[in-house]
Amino acid sequence: MGGQDGIGAAPDAATIEALARATIAKLPRAFAEHLGDVVLLVEEFADEETLASLGIEHPLDLTGLYHGRPVGEKSSMDSGALPDRIHLYRRAILDEWIETGVRLDELVAHVTIHEIGHHFGLSDDDMHALEDAVADA
């Protein structure tokens, strides 16, 4: 499920989700234990409202998004809130895959870990270290 070898149909949402779940399965236990309630969604594009709220004009410019409060900011007062969600946007991911030539599994892992990083309130450096740990797993 790697590069862009062969000609065929574009990877579907189920393929993107499987790649993301494979990434999550490789996370260190300390991270994986705190993702049980996070919902993973693969959608074609971000909706207009989401794009507008982020100041993004084109839907292909957003590959993923975390909706929720980072773990360190949660409190008992959050009861009744929607579950935290990680959105992966299939068409934007595929567009970046084609433009960059990065292997699809590596790109999906990168986007997934970036969004998981927001769930934990990680810095960019911490996200890169987590990505390296998953790649080595």
Side-chain angles (χ1 to χ4, degrees):
M1 277 198 257
Q4 302 169 15
D5 302 335
I7 298 175
D12 61 8
T15 300
I16 302 295
E17 181 176 349
L19 292 170
R21 293 202 181 279
T23 297
I24 292 168
K26 294 178 185 176
L27 288 171
R29 180 181 291 199
F31 289 94
E33 289 176 349
H34 295 283
L35 290 173
D37 294 334
V38 176
V39 177
L40 176 65
L41 302 165
V42 179
E43 301 166 312
E44 288 299 295
F45 295 105
D47 60 43
E48 291 295 324
E49 182 180 334
T50 298
L51 295 170
S53 72
L54 297 169
I56 297 173
E57 292 184 22
H58 199 283
L60 293 178
D61 291 337
L62 184 63
T63 56
L65 184 66
Y66 170 72
H67 280 278
R69 291 184 65 186
V71 171
E73 295 178 15
K74 293 189 183 289
S75 77
S76 60
M77 303 304 287
D78 292 337
S79 68
L82 289 172
D84 293 352
R85 300 173 314 280
I86 292 174
H87 297 258
L88 301 179
Y89 300 114
R90 187 184 81 91
R91 295 284 303 276
I93 289 170
L94 296 180
D95 190 63
E96 186 171 329
W97 174 52
I98 290 166
E99 283 183 12
T100 64
V102 171
R103 287 178 25 162
L104 183 60
D105 58 339
E106 292 175 357
L107 179 58
V108 171
H110 172 77
V111 175
T112 302
I113 289 170
H114 186 86
E115 301 316 324
I116 287 170
H118 288 302
H119 174 69
F120 288 102
L122 300 179
S123 69
D124 284 342
D125 287 342
D126 290 336
M127 288 181 208
H128 290 297
L130 184 57
E131 192 171 349
D132 291 343
V134 167
D136 294 339

